[in-house]
Amino acid sequence: MTIPARAAITAVHGYVPPDVLTNAELAVMVDTSDAWITERTGIRERHILKGEGLGTSHMAAEAVRGLLQKTGTAPGEIDLLICATTTPDMQFPSTANLICDMVGIRDIGSFDVQAACSGFLYSLTIASQFIANGTARKVIVVGADKMSSIIDYTDRATCVLFGDGAGAVLLEPSADGTGIMDSLIRSDGAGWIHLHQKAGGSRMPASAKSVDQRLHYVHQEGAAVYKHAIARMAEVAGQIMTRNNLRGNMIDWLVPHQANKRIIESTAERMGLPMERVMVTINKYGNTTNATIPLCLWDYEAKLKPGNKLLLAAFGGGFTWAGVYVQWAYDGAKAVKFNGNGKAS
Ligand code: ACO
């Protein structure tokens, strides 16, 4: 019997657009304050993609180009590309198709995954199956969102939360048994009512009325989503820990979806992890939806050592939630130094 190959994350790269929107600037746009946003969410600023005609694919392509460059991989070597996004450039074709064209990857399978903020972990789980069954050897998973394209900047309850960005990882068959050890993806469609975009899909196609009524923006009932996020993030982390015989003191890094600092702290506390072992980037990027987890890996790359145990956990619209247990495959400090991406911390 052939033993399925384990997928290892062998590189990570990220991109955030240069324009920054601070809490102070938001306080001029809506009735809010730096103190409220910082205290209730942990966010201080977020990056916003500006420029006509630039969509999610622009940021994703930047992240993928960087990934190819830093690993010396030719576009022709990639077997599969999956893009996790909630803000595709267009209804069709997929953003994954567009990214491939932009970076010169041709004649491979590429598709988008829609699972709101859990999409990156859903995509990692899917990608690992292609490696396990031997049909792909080099797979790119990119999580990217231009949340500013679906945010109502007159709604203080949502406009302070989100930012734009992209993060990409390269997956390859593990050489030494490290890699994606376990994953769990879950959903509950009854949760849609609390977090969705009403218009622009087939249920309510765009019309003058839908635009007038501002129905193309994120609708979120924050308190309901918060309650479910707190419960599910901890639940999925606990399930992954139990079935892999992991205790809090055995986990080197929690890599949580970045929606609210309080949700992150609560998840860490329930797992028995001190905050020094939790990746946090929400202060500078906000909630970039599918990009939060790969951007965390990119930001903390220099600190990651081979064999480190990482628990990745996400919760988002749908509702969806997911957990992935990873044993890190390479010395992040060397990758950062070698590639000179200037992110050594
Ligand atoms: N500035 C000042 N006051 C505000 C702001 C703001 N930006 N936003 C809301 N408020 C007010 C509300 O109007 C309310 O006032 P009221 O009591 O007079 O009615 C008060 O603050 C409290 O509002 P809550 O919504 O109860 O505030 P809460 O402490 O819950 O924080 C937040 C709101 C930050 C949105 C929180 O609920 C949250 O983080 N929710 C979860 C978000 C999440 O996890 N999303 C999932 C992923 S996103 C995805 O999948 C796309």
Side-chain angles (χ1 to χ4, degrees):
M1 199 183 91
T2 337
I3 300 168
R6 177 167 289 147
I9 297 174
T10 54
V12 57
H13 203 71
Y15 176 81
V16 286
D19 282 293
V20 172
L21 178 63
T22 64
N23 289 352
E25 287 168 310
L26 278 164
V28 176
M29 294 157 66
V30 289
D31 182 14
T32 190
S33 65
D34 176 43
W36 191 96
I37 304 169
T38 309
E39 221 171 89
R40 307 303 295 164
T41 72
I43 303 167
R44 291 190 178 278
E45 60 186 33
R46 65 292 289 141
H47 291 247
I48 302 292
L49 179 62
K50 293 190 178 161
E52 209 177 327
L54 297 183
T56 295
S57 65
H58 170 77
M59 297 182 291
E62 289 286 342
V64 170
R65 267 188 213 105
L67 191 70
L68 294 174
Q69 202 178 359
K70 86 194 261 188
T71 54
T73 308
E77 291 178 60
I78 301 301
D79 299 316
L80 177 73
L81 185 142
I82 304 174
C83 176
T85 188
T86 301
T87 50
D89 281 33
M90 309 172 203
Q91 284 272 28
F92 73 92
S94 76
T95 303
N97 295 165
L98 302 174
I99 298 164
C100 285
D101 183 48
M102 289 162 93
V103 304
I105 297 176
R106 317 227 169 262
D107 293 331
I108 62 156
S110 68
F111 56 88
D112 288 359
V113 167
Q114 161 61 291
C117 295
S118 311
F120 183 76
L121 296 191
Y122 268 60
S123 302
L124 270 190
T125 305
I126 297 165
S128 68
Q129 310 300 320
F130 279 87
I131 298 217
N133 70 24
T135 51
R137 288 191 64 79
K138 285 184 193 278
V139 182
I140 289 177
V141 175
V142 53
D145 272 299
K146 183 184 171 186
M147 291 307 289
S148 62
S149 66
I150 56 166
I151 292 301
D152 182 352
Y153 284 96
T154 66
D155 174 15
R156 70 175 182 176
T158 51
C159 74
V160 303
L161 303 174
F162 295 94
D164 301 337
V169 296
L170 181 64
L171 292 173
E172 296 179 84
S174 171
D176 58 5
T178 57
I180 296 177
M181 314 301 285
D182 193 16
S183 66
L184 216 156
I185 57 173
R186 292 287 182 267
S187 69
D188 176 2
W192 79 272
I193 198 79
H194 302 298
L195 181 52
H196 58 273
Q197 183 184 341
K198 292 184 191 302
S202 58
R203 197 181 277 201
M204 195 191 292
S207 65
K209 192 172 154 201
S210 70
V211 172
D212 275 357
Q213 295 182 345
R214 311 180 80 77
L215 301 178
H216 296 269
Y217 296 120
V218 169
H219 166 86
Q220 175 169 264
E221 292 154 15
V225 177
Y226 186 87
K227 195 179 82 188
H228 285 275
I230 292 255
R232 295 304 196 181
M233 290 270 284
E235 179 188 292
V236 78
Q239 286 166 337
I240 292 267
M241 285 165 74
T242 303
R243 62 194 218 179
N244 292 282
N245 297 316
L246 292 168
R247 289 185 306 281
N249 62 5
M250 295 159 78
I251 292 169
D252 296 292
W253 292 102
L254 169 64
V255 193
H257 171 54
Q258 313 276 309
N260 186 317
K261 180 101 184 291
R262 290 181 292 146
I263 299 174
I264 297 170
E265 286 166 350
S266 158
T267 308
E269 193 186 323
R270 292 192 198 192
M271 290 171 65
L273 271 189
M275 285 304 287
E276 301 84 72
R277 285 194 271 137
V278 181
M279 295 191 187
V280 178
T281 56
I282 190 165
N283 52 318
K284 51 184 181 174
Y285 301 146
N287 181 352
T288 54
T289 303
N290 283 285
T292 62
I293 289 179
L295 280 176
C296 276
L297 296 175
W298 184 50
D299 254 62
Y300 282 77
E301 186 179 23
K303 298 188 174 182
L304 293 171
K305 298 179 181 61
N308 273 179
K309 294 182 173 64
L310 278 60
L311 207 154
L312 286 45
F315 177 86
F319 292 134
T320 55
W321 59 102
V324 174
Y325 166 36
V326 175
Q327 281 189 21
W328 197 249
Y330 66 93
D331 185 342
K334 276 191 192 149
V336 169
K337 207 171 156 202
F338 177 76
N339 295 293
N341 70 2
K343 293 202 72 64
S345 42

